[in-house]
Coordinates of all heavy atoms in Angstrom, one line a residue:
P24 N 10.1 -66.7 -4.6 CA 10.2 -66.0 -3.3 C 9.7 -64.6 -3.5 O 9.6 -64.0 -4.5 CB 11.8 -66.0 -3.1 CG 12.4 -66.2 -4.5 CD 11.4 -67.0 -5.3
H25 N 9.3 -64.1 -2.4 CA 8.8 -62.7 -2.3 C 10.0 -61.8 -2.4 O 11.1 -62.0 -1.8 CB 8.1 -62.4 -1.0 CG 7.7 -61.0 -0.9 ND1 6.7 -60.4 -1.5 CD2 8.3 -59.9 -0.2 CE1 6.6 -59.1 -1.2 NE2 7.6 -58.8 -0.4
V26 N 9.9 -60.7 -3.2 CA 11.0 -59.7 -3.4 C 10.4 -58.4 -2.9 O 9.4 -57.9 -3.3 CB 11.3 -59.6 -4.9 CG1 12.4 -58.5 -5.0 CG2 11.8 -60.9 -5.4
D27 N 11.2 -57.8 -2.0 CA 10.9 -56.5 -1.4 C 11.5 -55.5 -2.4 O 12.7 -55.3 -2.5 CB 11.4 -56.3 0.0 CG 11.1 -55.0 0.6 OD1 11.1 -54.0 -0.1 OD2 10.9 -55.0 1.8
G28 N 10.6 -54.8 -3.2 CA 11.1 -53.9 -4.2 C 11.9 -52.7 -3.6 O 12.8 -52.3 -4.2
N29 N 11.5 -52.3 -2.4 CA 12.3 -51.2 -1.8 C 13.6 -51.7 -1.4 O 14.6 -51.0 -1.6 CB 11.5 -50.6 -0.5 CG 10.3 -49.8 -0.9 OD1 10.4 -48.9 -1.8 ND2 9.2 -50.1 -0.4
R30 N 13.7 -52.9 -0.8 CA 15.0 -53.4 -0.5 C 15.9 -53.6 -1.7 O 17.1 -53.4 -1.8 CB 14.9 -54.7 0.3 CG 16.2 -55.2 0.9 CD 16.0 -56.5 1.7 NE 14.9 -56.3 2.7 CZ 14.2 -57.4 3.1 NH1 14.5 -58.6 2.7 NH2 13.3 -57.2 4.0
L31 N 15.2 -54.1 -2.8 CA 15.9 -54.3 -4.1 C 16.5 -53.0 -4.6 O 17.6 -53.0 -5.1 CB 14.9 -55.0 -5.1 CG 15.6 -55.5 -6.3 CD1 16.5 -56.7 -6.1 CD2 14.4 -55.9 -7.3
A32 N 15.7 -52.0 -4.6 CA 16.1 -50.7 -5.0 C 17.3 -50.1 -4.2 O 18.2 -49.5 -4.7 CB 15.0 -49.7 -5.1
D33 N 17.3 -50.4 -2.9 CA 18.3 -49.8 -2.0 C 19.5 -50.6 -1.9 O 20.6 -50.1 -1.8 CB 17.7 -49.8 -0.5 CG 16.6 -48.7 -0.4 OD1 16.5 -47.8 -1.2 OD2 15.8 -48.9 0.6
D34 N 19.4 -51.9 -2.1 CA 20.6 -52.8 -2.0 C 20.4 -54.0 -3.0 O 20.2 -55.1 -2.7 CB 20.8 -53.3 -0.6 CG 22.1 -54.1 -0.4 OD1 22.9 -54.2 -1.4 OD2 22.4 -54.5 0.7
F35 N 20.5 -53.6 -4.3 CA 20.2 -54.6 -5.4 C 21.0 -55.8 -5.2 O 20.4 -56.9 -5.3 CB 20.4 -53.9 -6.7 CG 20.1 -54.9 -7.8 CD1 18.8 -55.0 -8.3 CD2 21.0 -55.7 -8.4 CE1 18.4 -55.9 -9.3 CE2 20.7 -56.6 -9.4 CZ 19.4 -56.7 -9.9
D36 N 22.3 -55.7 -5.1 CA 23.2 -56.9 -5.1 C 22.8 -57.9 -4.0 O 22.7 -59.1 -4.3 CB 24.6 -56.6 -5.0 CG 25.1 -55.8 -6.2 OD1 24.6 -56.0 -7.3 OD2 26.1 -55.0 -6.1
A37 N 22.5 -57.5 -2.8 CA 22.2 -58.4 -1.7 C 20.8 -59.0 -1.9 O 20.7 -60.2 -1.7 CB 22.3 -57.6 -0.4
E38 N 19.8 -58.2 -2.3 CA 18.5 -58.7 -2.5 C 18.4 -59.7 -3.7 O 17.8 -60.7 -3.6 CB 17.5 -57.6 -2.6 CG 16.0 -58.0 -2.6 CD 15.5 -58.7 -1.4 OE1 16.2 -58.8 -0.4 OE2 14.3 -59.1 -1.4
A39 N 19.1 -59.3 -4.8 CA 19.1 -60.2 -5.9 C 19.8 -61.5 -5.6 O 19.3 -62.6 -6.0 CB 19.8 -59.5 -7.1
A40 N 20.9 -61.5 -4.8 CA 21.5 -62.7 -4.4 C 20.6 -63.6 -3.6 O 20.6 -64.8 -3.8 CB 22.8 -62.4 -3.7
R41 N 19.9 -62.9 -2.7 CA 19.0 -63.7 -1.8 C 17.9 -64.4 -2.7 O 17.6 -65.6 -2.5 CB 18.3 -62.8 -0.8 CG 17.4 -63.5 0.1 CD 16.5 -62.5 0.9 NE 15.5 -61.9 0.1 CZ 14.3 -62.5 -0.3 NH1 14.1 -63.7 0.0 NH2 13.5 -61.8 -1.1
V42 N 17.4 -63.7 -3.7 CA 16.4 -64.3 -4.5 C 17.0 -65.4 -5.4 O 16.4 -66.5 -5.5 CB 15.8 -63.2 -5.5 CG1 14.9 -63.8 -6.5 CG2 15.0 -62.2 -4.6
R43 N 18.1 -65.2 -5.9 CA 18.8 -66.3 -6.8 C 19.0 -67.5 -5.9 O 18.8 -68.6 -6.4 CB 20.1 -65.7 -7.4 CG 19.9 -64.8 -8.5 CD 21.2 -64.5 -9.2 NE 21.0 -63.4 -10.2 CZ 21.3 -62.1 -9.9 NH1 21.8 -61.7 -8.8 NH2 21.1 -61.2 -10.9
E44 N 19.5 -67.3 -4.7 CA 19.8 -68.4 -3.8 C 18.6 -69.2 -3.5 O 18.6 -70.4 -3.4 CB 20.5 -67.9 -2.5 CG 21.9 -67.5 -2.8 CD 22.5 -66.7 -1.6 OE1 21.9 -66.6 -0.5 OE2 23.6 -66.1 -1.8
A45 N 17.5 -68.5 -3.2 CA 16.2 -69.2 -2.9 C 15.7 -70.0 -4.1 O 15.2 -71.1 -4.0 CB 15.2 -68.2 -2.5
L46 N 15.8 -69.4 -5.3 CA 15.4 -70.1 -6.5 C 16.2 -71.4 -6.7 O 15.6 -72.5 -7.0 CB 15.6 -69.2 -7.8 CG 14.6 -68.0 -7.8 CD1 15.1 -67.1 -9.0 CD2 13.2 -68.5 -8.0
V47 N 17.5 -71.3 -6.5 CA 18.4 -72.5 -6.6 C 18.0 -73.5 -5.6 O 17.9 -74.7 -5.8 CB 19.9 -72.1 -6.6 CG1 20.7 -73.3 -6.5 CG2 20.2 -71.3 -7.8
R48 N 17.9 -73.1 -4.3 CA 17.7 -74.0 -3.2 C 16.4 -74.8 -3.4 O 16.3 -75.9 -3.0 CB 17.6 -73.1 -1.9 CG 17.4 -74.0 -0.6 CD 17.5 -73.2 0.7 NE 16.7 -72.0 0.7 CZ 17.1 -70.7 0.6 NH1 18.4 -70.5 0.5 NH2 16.3 -69.7 0.7
H49 N 15.4 -74.2 -4.0 CA 14.1 -74.8 -4.2 C 13.9 -75.4 -5.6 O 12.8 -75.9 -5.9 CB 13.0 -73.9 -3.8 CG 13.0 -73.4 -2.4 ND1 12.7 -74.3 -1.3 CD2 13.4 -72.3 -1.8 CE1 12.8 -73.6 -0.2 NE2 13.2 -72.4 -0.5
G50 N 14.9 -75.3 -6.4 CA 14.8 -75.8 -7.8 C 13.8 -75.2 -8.6 O 13.2 -75.8 -9.5
L51 N 13.7 -73.9 -8.5 CA 12.7 -73.1 -9.2 C 13.3 -72.4 -10.4 O 14.4 -71.8 -10.3 CB 12.0 -72.1 -8.3 CG 11.2 -72.7 -7.1 CD1 10.8 -71.6 -6.2 CD2 10.1 -73.5 -7.6
V52 N 12.5 -72.3 -11.5 CA 12.9 -71.5 -12.7 C 11.8 -70.6 -12.9 O 10.7 -70.9 -13.4 CB 13.2 -72.5 -13.9 CG1 13.5 -71.6 -15.1 CG2 14.2 -73.5 -13.6
P53 N 12.0 -69.3 -12.6 CA 10.9 -68.3 -12.8 C 10.7 -68.0 -14.3 O 11.6 -68.0 -15.1 CB 11.5 -67.1 -12.1 CG 13.0 -67.2 -12.3 CD 13.3 -68.7 -12.2
V54 N 9.4 -67.9 -14.6 CA 9.0 -67.5 -16.0 C 8.3 -66.2 -16.1 O 8.2 -65.6 -17.1 CB 8.2 -68.6 -16.7 CG1 9.1 -69.9 -16.9 CG2 7.0 -68.9 -15.9
A55 N 7.7 -65.8 -14.9 CA 7.0 -64.5 -14.8 C 7.0 -64.0 -13.4 O 7.4 -64.7 -12.5 CB 5.5 -64.7 -15.3
M56 N 6.7 -62.7 -13.3 CA 6.6 -62.1 -11.9 C 5.6 -61.0 -11.9 O 5.3 -60.4 -12.9 CB 8.0 -61.6 -11.4 CG 8.6 -60.5 -12.2 SD 10.3 -60.2 -11.8 CE 10.2 -59.3 -10.3
N57 N 4.9 -60.9 -10.8 CA 4.0 -59.8 -10.6 C 4.6 -58.8 -9.7 O 5.3 -59.2 -8.7 CB 2.7 -60.4 -9.9 CG 1.9 -61.3 -10.8 OD1 1.8 -61.0 -12.0 ND2 1.4 -62.3 -10.3
T58 N 4.4 -57.5 -10.0 CA 5.1 -56.5 -9.2 C 4.1 -55.4 -8.8 O 3.0 -55.3 -9.3 CB 6.2 -55.8 -10.1 OG1 5.6 -55.1 -11.2 CG2 7.2 -56.8 -10.6
A59 N 4.5 -54.7 -7.8 CA 3.8 -53.5 -7.3 C 4.8 -52.6 -6.6 O 5.9 -53.0 -6.2 CB 2.7 -54.0 -6.3
A60 N 4.3 -51.4 -6.4 CA 5.2 -50.4 -5.7 C 4.3 -49.4 -5.1 O 3.3 -49.1 -5.6 CB 6.2 -49.7 -6.7
E61 N 4.8 -48.9 -4.0 CA 4.1 -47.8 -3.3 C 5.0 -46.5 -3.5 O 6.2 -46.6 -3.5 CB 4.1 -48.0 -1.8 CG 3.1 -49.1 -1.4 CD 1.7 -48.6 -1.2 OE1 1.5 -47.4 -1.2 OE2 0.8 -49.5 -1.2
P62 N 4.4 -45.4 -3.8 CA 3.0 -45.1 -4.0 C 2.5 -45.7 -5.3 O 3.3 -45.9 -6.2 CB 2.9 -43.6 -4.0 CG 4.2 -43.1 -4.4 CD 5.2 -44.1 -3.9
F63 N 1.3 -46.1 -5.4 CA 0.7 -46.7 -6.6 C 0.9 -45.8 -7.8 O 0.9 -44.6 -7.7 CB -0.7 -47.0 -6.4 CG -1.0 -48.2 -5.4 CD1 -1.8 -47.9 -4.3 CD2 -0.3 -49.4 -5.5 CE1 -2.0 -49.0 -3.4 CE2 -0.5 -50.4 -4.6 CZ -1.4 -50.1 -3.5
P64 N 1.1 -46.4 -9.0 CA 1.4 -45.6 -10.2 C 0.3 -44.5 -10.5 O 0.7 -43.5 -11.1 CB 1.3 -46.7 -11.3 CG 1.8 -47.9 -10.6 CD 1.1 -47.8 -9.2
H65 N -0.9 -44.6 -10.1 CA -1.8 -43.6 -10.4 C -1.7 -42.3 -9.5 O -2.3 -41.3 -9.8 CB -3.3 -44.1 -10.3 CG -3.7 -44.4 -8.9 ND1 -3.4 -45.6 -8.3 CD2 -4.5 -43.7 -8.1 CE1 -3.9 -45.6 -7.1 NE2 -4.6 -44.5 -6.9
R66 N -0.9 -42.4 -8.5 CA -0.6 -41.3 -7.6 C 0.7 -40.6 -8.1 O 1.8 -41.0 -7.7 CB -0.5 -41.7 -6.2 CG -1.8 -42.3 -5.7 CD -1.7 -42.7 -4.2 NE -3.0 -43.1 -3.7 CZ -3.1 -43.9 -2.7 NH1 -2.1 -44.3 -2.0 NH2 -4.3 -44.2 -2.3
R67 N 0.5 -39.6 -8.9 CA 1.7 -39.0 -9.6 C 2.0 -37.6 -9.1 O 2.9 -36.9 -9.7 CB 1.5 -39.0 -11.1 CG 1.4 -40.4 -11.7 CD 1.3 -40.3 -13.2 NE 1.2 -41.6 -13.7 CZ 0.1 -42.1 -14.3 NH1 -0.9 -41.3 -14.6 NH2 0.0 -43.3 -14.8
S68 N 1.3 -37.0 -8.1 CA 1.4 -35.6 -7.8 C 2.7 -35.4 -6.9 O 3.1 -34.2 -6.8 CB 0.2 -35.1 -7.0 OG 0.0 -35.9 -5.9
D69 N 3.3 -36.4 -6.3 CA 4.4 -36.3 -5.5 C 5.7 -36.6 -6.2 O 5.9 -37.8 -6.5 CB 4.2 -37.1 -4.2 CG 5.4 -37.1 -3.3 OD1 6.3 -36.1 -3.4 OD2 5.6 -38.0 -2.5
P70 N 6.6 -35.7 -6.5 CA 7.8 -36.0 -7.3 C 8.7 -37.0 -6.6 O 9.3 -37.9 -7.3 CB 8.5 -34.6 -7.4 CG 7.4 -33.6 -7.3 CD 6.4 -34.2 -6.3
S71 N 8.7 -37.0 -5.3 CA 9.6 -38.0 -4.6 C 9.0 -39.4 -4.7 O 9.7 -40.3 -4.8 CB 9.8 -37.6 -3.1 OG 8.6 -37.6 -2.4
G72 N 7.7 -39.5 -4.7 CA 7.1 -40.8 -4.8 C 7.3 -41.3 -6.2 O 7.5 -42.5 -6.4
N73 N 7.2 -40.4 -7.2 CA 7.5 -40.8 -8.6 C 8.9 -41.3 -8.7 O 9.2 -42.3 -9.4 CB 7.3 -39.6 -9.6 CG 5.8 -39.2 -9.6 OD1 4.9 -40.0 -9.4 ND2 5.6 -38.0 -10.0
A74 N 9.9 -40.7 -8.2 CA 11.3 -41.1 -8.2 C 11.5 -42.4 -7.5 O 12.2 -43.3 -8.0 CB 12.2 -40.0 -7.6
R75 N 10.8 -42.6 -6.4 CA 11.0 -43.8 -5.7 C 10.4 -45.0 -6.5 O 11.0 -46.1 -6.6 CB 10.3 -43.8 -4.3 CG 10.5 -45.0 -3.5 CD 11.9 -45.2 -3.2 NE 12.2 -46.4 -2.5 CZ 13.3 -47.0 -2.4 NH1 14.4 -46.3 -2.8 NH2 13.5 -48.1 -1.7
R76 N 9.2 -44.8 -7.0 CA 8.5 -45.8 -7.8 C 9.4 -46.2 -9.0 O 9.6 -47.3 -9.3 CB 7.1 -45.3 -8.2 CG 6.3 -46.4 -8.8 CD 4.9 -45.9 -9.1 NE 4.8 -44.6 -9.7 CZ 4.4 -43.5 -9.0 NH1 4.0 -43.6 -7.8 NH2 4.4 -42.3 -9.6
R77 N 9.9 -45.2 -9.6 CA 10.8 -45.4 -10.8 C 12.0 -46.3 -10.4 O 12.4 -47.2 -11.1 CB 11.2 -44.1 -11.4 CG 12.0 -44.2 -12.7 CD 12.2 -42.9 -13.5 NE 12.4 -41.8 -12.6 CZ 11.6 -40.8 -12.3 NH1 10.3 -40.8 -12.8 NH2 11.9 -39.8 -11.6
A78 N 12.6 -46.0 -9.2 CA 13.8 -46.8 -8.7 C 13.4 -48.2 -8.5 O 14.1 -49.1 -8.8 CB 14.3 -46.1 -7.5
V79 N 12.2 -48.4 -7.9 CA 11.8 -49.8 -7.6 C 11.5 -50.5 -8.8 O 12.0 -51.7 -9.0 CB 10.5 -49.7 -6.6 CG1 9.9 -51.1 -6.5 CG2 10.9 -49.2 -5.3
F80 N 10.7 -49.9 -9.8 CA 10.4 -50.7 -11.0 C 11.7 -50.9 -11.9 O 11.8 -51.9 -12.5 CB 9.4 -50.0 -11.8 CG 8.0 -50.2 -11.3 CD1 7.1 -49.2 -11.0 CD2 7.5 -51.5 -11.0 CE1 5.8 -49.4 -10.5 CE2 6.3 -51.7 -10.4 CZ 5.4 -50.7 -10.2
S81 N 12.6 -50.0 -11.8 CA 13.9 -50.2 -12.5 C 14.6 -51.4 -12.0 O 15.2 -52.2 -12.7 CB 14.8 -49.0 -12.5 OG 14.2 -47.9 -13.2
A82 N 14.7 -51.5 -10.6 CA 15.4 -52.6 -10.0 C 14.6 -53.9 -10.2 O 15.3 -54.9 -10.5 CB 15.5 -52.3 -8.4
L83 N 13.3 -53.9 -10.2 CA 12.6 -55.1 -10.5 C 12.8 -55.6 -11.9 O 12.9 -56.8 -12.2 CB 11.1 -54.9 -10.2 CG 10.7 -54.7 -8.8 CD1 9.3 -54.2 -8.7 CD2 10.8 -56.1 -8.1
A84 N 12.8 -54.6 -12.9 CA 13.1 -55.0 -14.3 C 14.5 -55.6 -14.4 O 14.7 -56.6 -15.1 CB 13.0 -53.8 -15.2
R85 N 15.5 -55.0 -13.7 CA 16.9 -55.5 -13.7 C 16.9 -56.9 -13.2 O 17.6 -57.8 -13.8 CB 17.7 -54.5 -12.9 CG 19.2 -54.9 -12.9 CD 20.0 -53.9 -12.2 NE 21.3 -54.3 -11.9 CZ 22.1 -53.9 -11.0 NH1 21.7 -52.8 -10.2 NH2 23.3 -54.3 -10.8
L86 N 16.2 -57.1 -12.1 CA 16.2 -58.5 -11.5 C 15.5 -59.5 -12.5 O 16.0 -60.6 -12.7 CB 15.4 -58.5 -10.2 CG 15.2 -59.9 -9.5 CD1 16.6 -60.5 -9.1 CD2 14.3 -59.8 -8.4
A87 N 14.4 -59.1 -13.1 CA 13.7 -60.0 -14.0 C 14.6 -60.4 -15.1 O 14.7 -61.6 -15.5 CB 12.4 -59.3 -14.5
R88 N 15.3 -59.4 -15.7 CA 16.2 -59.8 -16.8 C 17.3 -60.7 -16.3 O 17.7 -61.7 -17.0 CB 16.9 -58.5 -17.4 CG 16.0 -57.7 -18.3 CD 16.8 -56.6 -19.0 NE 17.5 -55.7 -18.1 CZ 16.9 -54.6 -17.6 NH1 15.7 -54.3 -17.8 NH2 17.6 -53.9 -16.8
G89 N 17.8 -60.5 -15.1 CA 18.9 -61.2 -14.5 C 18.6 -62.7 -14.2 O 19.4 -63.5 -14.2
I90 N 17.3 -62.9 -13.9 CA 16.9 -64.3 -13.6 C 16.1 -65.0 -14.7 O 15.5 -66.0 -14.5 CB 16.1 -64.4 -12.2 CG1 14.8 -63.5 -12.3 CG2 17.0 -63.9 -11.1 CD1 14.0 -63.6 -11.0
G91 N 16.0 -64.3 -15.8 CA 15.4 -65.0 -17.0 C 13.9 -64.8 -17.1 O 13.3 -65.6 -17.8
V92 N 13.3 -63.9 -16.4 CA 11.9 -63.7 -16.5 C 11.6 -62.8 -17.7 O 12.1 -61.8 -17.9 CB 11.4 -62.9 -15.2 CG1 10.0 -62.4 -15.4 CG2 11.5 -63.9 -14.0
G93 N 10.7 -63.4 -18.5 CA 10.3 -62.7 -19.8 C 9.0 -61.9 -19.7 O 8.7 -61.1 -20.5
T94 N 8.2 -62.2 -18.6 CA 6.9 -61.5 -18.5 C 6.8 -61.0 -17.0 O 7.0 -61.7 -16.1 CB 5.8 -62.5 -18.8 OG1 5.9 -63.0 -20.1 CG2 4.4 -61.8 -18.6
A95 N 6.5 -59.7 -16.9 CA 6.3 -59.1 -15.6 C 5.0 -58.2 -15.6 O 4.8 -57.4 -16.6 CB 7.5 -58.2 -15.1
G96 N 4.1 -58.5 -14.7 CA 2.9 -57.7 -14.6 C 3.1 -56.6 -13.5 O 3.9 -56.7 -12.6
V97 N 2.4 -55.5 -13.7 CA 2.5 -54.4 -12.7 C 1.1 -54.1 -12.2 O 0.1 -53.9 -12.9 CB 3.0 -53.1 -13.4 CG1 2.9 -51.9 -12.4 CG2 4.4 -53.3 -14.0
Y98 N 1.0 -54.2 -10.9 CA -0.3 -53.9 -10.2 C -0.4 -52.4 -10.1 O 0.4 -51.7 -9.5 CB -0.3 -54.5 -8.8 CG -1.5 -54.2 -8.0 CD1 -2.7 -54.7 -8.3 CD2 -1.5 -53.3 -7.0 CE1 -3.9 -54.4 -7.6 CE2 -2.6 -52.9 -6.2 CZ -3.8 -53.5 -6.5 OH -4.9 -53.2 -5.9
P99 N -1.5 -51.9 -10.7 CA -1.6 -50.4 -10.8 C -2.2 -49.7 -9.6 O -2.2 -48.5 -9.6 CB -2.5 -50.2 -12.0 CG -3.4 -51.5 -12.0 CD -2.5 -52.6 -11.5
G100 N -2.6 -50.5 -8.7 CA -3.3 -49.8 -7.5 C -4.8 -49.7 -7.8 O -5.3 -50.4 -8.7
W101 N -5.4 -48.9 -7.2 CA -6.9 -48.7 -7.4 C -7.2 -47.2 -7.4 O -6.4 -46.4 -6.9 CB -7.7 -49.4 -6.3 CG -7.3 -48.9 -4.9 CD1 -7.9 -47.9 -4.2 CD2 -6.3 -49.5 -4.0 NE1 -7.3 -47.7 -3.0 CE2 -6.3 -48.7 -2.9 CE3 -5.4 -50.5 -4.1 CZ2 -5.5 -49.0 -1.8 CZ3 -4.6 -50.8 -3.1 CH2 -4.6 -50.0 -1.9
W102 N -8.3 -46.9 -8.0 CA -8.7 -45.5 -8.1 C -9.6 -45.1 -6.9 O -10.6 -45.8 -6.7 CB -9.5 -45.3 -9.4 CG -9.9 -43.9 -9.6 CD1 -9.0 -42.8 -10.0 CD2 -11.1 -43.3 -9.4 NE1 -9.7 -41.7 -10.1 CE2 -11.0 -41.9 -9.7 CE3 -12.4 -43.8 -9.0 CZ2 -12.1 -41.0 -9.7 CZ3 -13.4 -42.9 -9.0 CH2 -13.3 -41.6 -9.3
I103 N -9.2 -44.1 -6.2 CA -10.0 -43.6 -5.1 C -10.2 -42.1 -5.4 O -9.3 -41.4 -5.5 CB -9.2 -43.8 -3.8 CG1 -8.9 -45.3 -3.6 CG2 -10.0 -43.2 -2.6 CD1 -8.0 -45.5 -2.4
P104 N -11.5 -41.7 -5.5 CA -11.7 -40.3 -5.9 C -11.1 -39.3 -4.9 O -10.7 -38.3 -5.4 CB -13.3 -40.2 -5.8 CG -13.7 -41.6 -6.1 CD -12.7 -42.5 -5.4
A105 N -10.9 -39.7 -3.7 CA -10.3 -38.7 -2.7 C -8.8 -38.5 -3.1 O -8.2 -37.5 -2.6 CB -10.4 -39.3 -1.3
D106 N -8.2 -39.4 -3.9 CA -6.8 -39.2 -4.2 C -6.6 -38.0 -5.2 O -5.5 -37.6 -5.4 CB -6.3 -40.5 -4.9 CG -6.0 -41.6 -3.9 OD1 -6.1 -41.3 -2.7 OD2 -5.8 -42.7 -4.4
Y107 N -7.7 -37.5 -5.8 CA -7.5 -36.5 -6.9 C -8.1 -35.2 -6.5 O -8.9 -35.0 -5.7 CB -8.2 -37.1 -8.2 CG -7.5 -38.3 -8.6 CD1 -8.0 -39.6 -8.3 CD2 -6.3 -38.3 -9.3 CE1 -7.4 -40.8 -8.7 CE2 -5.7 -39.4 -9.7 CZ -6.2 -40.7 -9.4 OH -5.6 -41.8 -9.8

């Protein structure tokens, strides 16, 4: 199932329960997950964005551990010269 990282960071218990229920309902056993967060990791100039991204990735890591995922990839975004 798709996991909304922002929702997971804001209400971990409810979003994690939704994911677990979907996995059970469909008989799925996750082994890996791909993750992303806004703002993208290469955009580090905004302290609030850094804090938000840290919260999202922390929640995603907590979920991964909780559902037995051993491998998680992080989409780093893309480099745009105008960003710098």
Side-chain angles (χ1 to χ4, degrees):
H25 174 78
V26 178
D27 182 324
N29 286 309
R30 189 177 311 152
L31 190 67
D33 292 340
D34 190 358
F35 182 85
D36 292 334
E38 184 67 1
R41 184 193 68 79
V42 171
R43 286 188 188 98
E44 290 167 8
L46 292 170
V47 169
R48 183 173 51 252
H49 297 289
L51 300 172
V52 177
V54 295
M56 61 192 282
N57 293 318
T58 65
E61 290 274 349
F63 292 125
H65 69 280
R66 294 184 176 156
R67 296 186 182 117
S68 61
D69 176 20
S71 65
N73 293 335
R75 183 63 186 167
R76 187 174 47 252
R77 189 171 34 255
V79 168
F80 282 129
S81 293
L83 288 166
R85 182 177 168 199
L86 175 66
R88 283 189 306 271
I90 61 176
V92 167
T94 303
V97 175
Y98 176 71
W101 57 88
W102 183 76
I103 301 172
D106 285 351
Y107 298 96

